[in-house]
Amino acid sequence: MLTDLLTADVIRLHVGCDSWREAVKSGTDLLVNKNCVEPRYQQAIVANHETLGPYMVIAPGIMLAHARPEDGVKTLAMSLVTLKEPIAFGNKTNDPVKLLITLAAPNRNSHLTALSQLMELLMNAEDIRSIMDATKKEAVLAI
């Protein structure tokens, strides 16, 4: 369930970042600190972005950062970071990014329920705007 994955300890709001790499690191650091992924998971996300382009920028202002299970995933996990200032990731249609969700899935199936719930949330423009503007984690958790 999405509510089981997105808890206060994996949410950071209004994070100041100077680059897209730093923004990715802010999301993966939360999962590293919780021992859900290895530090190399962040490097894999960056490498995917550099190799395959900004496909992870899935909607206007939203990035779903991820890599493969074998890139250092220990357990199913997700983090949510809002950026103080939006950052360009190179996606002409959906830049700049304000909301970064990092997903770590240990296999092909364990994340599907949470991902489905996340997609439902992302389709609600009012909720997404509220998350992007939130100053307290409790407000995000309530949504």
Side-chain angles (χ1 to χ4, degrees):
M1 297 289 289
L2 187 60
T3 55
D4 296 330
L5 296 177
L6 285 178
T7 55
D9 57 339
V10 290
I11 295 173
R12 287 188 62 206
L13 304 175
H14 294 278
V15 177
C17 295
D18 293 325
S19 69
W20 67 262
R21 286 178 182 83
E22 193 178 330
V24 168
K25 186 175 184 323
S26 70
T28 55
D29 280 352
L30 292 167
L31 301 181
V32 169
N33 293 341
K34 200 173 172 184
N35 201 30
C36 297
V37 300
E38 298 172 16
R40 66 188 176 105
Y41 193 67
Q42 181 249 329
Q43 297 158 350
I45 293 170
V46 168
N48 284 345
H49 183 78
E50 290 173 338
T51 304
L52 303 171
Y55 74 95
M56 290 182 261
V57 183
I58 60 169
I62 303 169
M63 180 179 191
L64 179 60
H66 61 281
R68 300 182 57 80
E70 61 268 21
D71 291 328
V73 177
K74 296 180 180 183
T75 186
L76 179 61
M78 195 178 288
S79 68
L80 184 150
V81 173
T82 62
L83 301 174
K84 188 176 193 177
E85 296 296 327
I87 293 180
F89 279 74
N91 186 303
K92 292 177 184 174
T93 306
N94 295 325
D95 270 345
V97 170
K98 173 86 171 159
L99 172 62
L100 181 82
I101 298 165
T102 304
L103 172 65
N107 57 52
R108 290 180 178 220
N109 299 316
S110 62
H111 65 291
L112 296 179
T113 299
L115 188 59
S116 174
Q117 292 171 344
L118 177 63
M119 290 304 121
E120 275 187 49
L121 174 66
L122 295 179
M123 286 190 252
N124 185 321
E126 186 177 317
D127 284 348
I128 292 305
R129 179 62 41 214
S130 295
I131 289 171
M132 288 180 179
D133 294 340
T135 58
K136 296 189 182 288
K137 294 178 184 184
E138 294 79 14
V140 174
L141 293 171
I143 294 167

